[in-house]
């Protein structure tokens, strides 16, 4: 979850967005649902803000034109669209309160506490506390076990991990975290492929002498 405001004003808290123009995402989008949950966790409802139902692109334009005060968006880290916007707009990431993070994680299966690392964006010097959800690769029942296993190896196996090729977000894809916060059952063939990948990675680590 990214909560963005312009950096050329006083740094607000999420709770300070009462009465402000807040881009919460388009109707029907999962990002909009999460944005409203984030506001609720900080004691705000949709009636407490001036909601702007914009896509991220339109929301960033509104921030640049000073037609919006904040944007709440669920997007991978680092987001190219936000990096690009930083060349034109002074932006600031606003952290969620620890109480709100705890409430969101407790109430919503699939959310977990997350810190956007310093340097993820050019103007970001400190970690920013928020919540996140895992991206899932979902397969239909028509795929064979062999196809699922091959696809899993293409995504996660070292040297074949196409997700990491030229993608800053893809570098976060790891067999070690592939089972984190799954909302649906892991395919048996995918699980076997991940087990093989992880056991191979463990075997590749040289033993250290005990002193």
């Amino acid at each position: 979850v990214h909560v963005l405001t312009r950096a050329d004003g006083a740094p607000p808290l999420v709770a300070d967005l009462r009465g402000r123009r807040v881009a919460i995402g388009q109707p029907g989008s999962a990002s909009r649902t999460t944005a409203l949950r984030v506001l609720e966790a900080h004691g705000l409802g949709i009636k407490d803000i001036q909601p702007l139902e914009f896509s991220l692109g339109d929301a960033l334009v509104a921030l640049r034109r000073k037609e919006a005060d904040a944007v709440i968006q669920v997007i991978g880290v680092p987001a190219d669209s936000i990096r690009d916007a930083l060349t034109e707009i002074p932006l600031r990431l606003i952290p969620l309160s620890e109480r709100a993070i705890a409430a969101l994680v407790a109430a919503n299966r699939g959310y977990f506490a997350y810190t956007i690392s310093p340097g993820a964006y050019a103007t970001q010097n400190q970690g920013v506390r928020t919540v996140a959800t895992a991206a899932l690769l979902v397969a239909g029942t028509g795929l064979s076990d062999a196809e699922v296993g091959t696809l899993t190896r293409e995504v996660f196996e070292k040297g074949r991990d196409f997700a990491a090729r030229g993608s800053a977000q893809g570098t976060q894809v790891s067999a070690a975290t592939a089972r984190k916060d799954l909302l649906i059952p892991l395919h048996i063939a995918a699980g076997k492929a991940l087990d093989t990948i992880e056991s191979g990675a463990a075997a590749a680590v040289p033993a250290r002498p005990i002193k």
Side-chain angles (χ1 to χ4, degrees):
V1 173
H2 291 63
V3 183
L4 294 160
T5 62
R6 293 182 63 99
D8 50 6
L13 302 174
V14 176
D16 296 330
L17 296 179
R18 185 182 300 274
R20 304 288 186 90
R21 300 164 300 176
V22 183
I24 56 174
Q26 295 175 302
S29 68
S31 186
R32 183 182 188 277
T33 299
T34 297
L36 292 176
R37 288 173 178 170
V38 167
L39 290 170
E40 183 179 359
H42 289 85
L44 300 174
I46 194 168
K47 294 181 179 179
D48 297 314
I49 62 168
Q50 298 179 49
L52 305 175
E53 296 180 328
F54 293 162
S55 66
L56 178 57
D58 290 341
L60 291 172
V61 169
L63 268 183
R64 178 169 59 81
R65 295 176 176 173
K66 297 186 178 182
E67 296 171 354
D69 299 304
V71 174
I72 304 177
Q73 180 74 32
V74 181
I75 192 169
V77 177
D80 288 341
S81 54
I82 295 174
R83 283 181 161 181
D84 292 342
L86 279 166
T87 63
E88 298 182 352
I89 320 168
L91 293 176
R92 177 188 290 114
L93 277 168
I94 304 302
L96 277 57
S97 74
E98 291 299 327
R99 178 178 293 181
I101 290 172
L104 287 163
V105 171
N108 300 278
R109 186 172 172 232
Y111 289 0
F112 52 89
Y114 185 79
T115 298
I116 301 176
S117 301
Y121 299 102
T123 57
Q124 182 195 344
N125 299 319
Q126 298 180 333
V128 176
R129 293 284 288 161
T130 185
V131 294
T133 187
L136 303 180
L137 177 60
V138 182
T141 56
L143 288 182
S144 68
D145 287 358
E147 288 171 322
V148 170
T150 297
L151 180 58
T152 303
R153 288 188 293 273
E154 287 288 348
V155 173
F156 293 102
E157 198 168 63
K158 188 172 178 59
R160 300 171 65 185
D161 47 355
F162 71 73
R165 299 177 191 174
S167 168
Q169 293 179 19
T171 59
Q172 302 168 31
V173 177
S174 166
T177 59
R179 296 176 173 88
K180 182 177 176 63
D181 294 288
L182 289 178
L183 300 177
I184 56 177
L186 180 66
H187 196 289
I188 293 175
K192 289 180 179 178
L194 288 170
D195 289 341
T196 301
I197 294 167
E198 289 182 287
S199 62
V205 177
R208 296 182 178 180
I210 299 175
K211 297 183 178 179

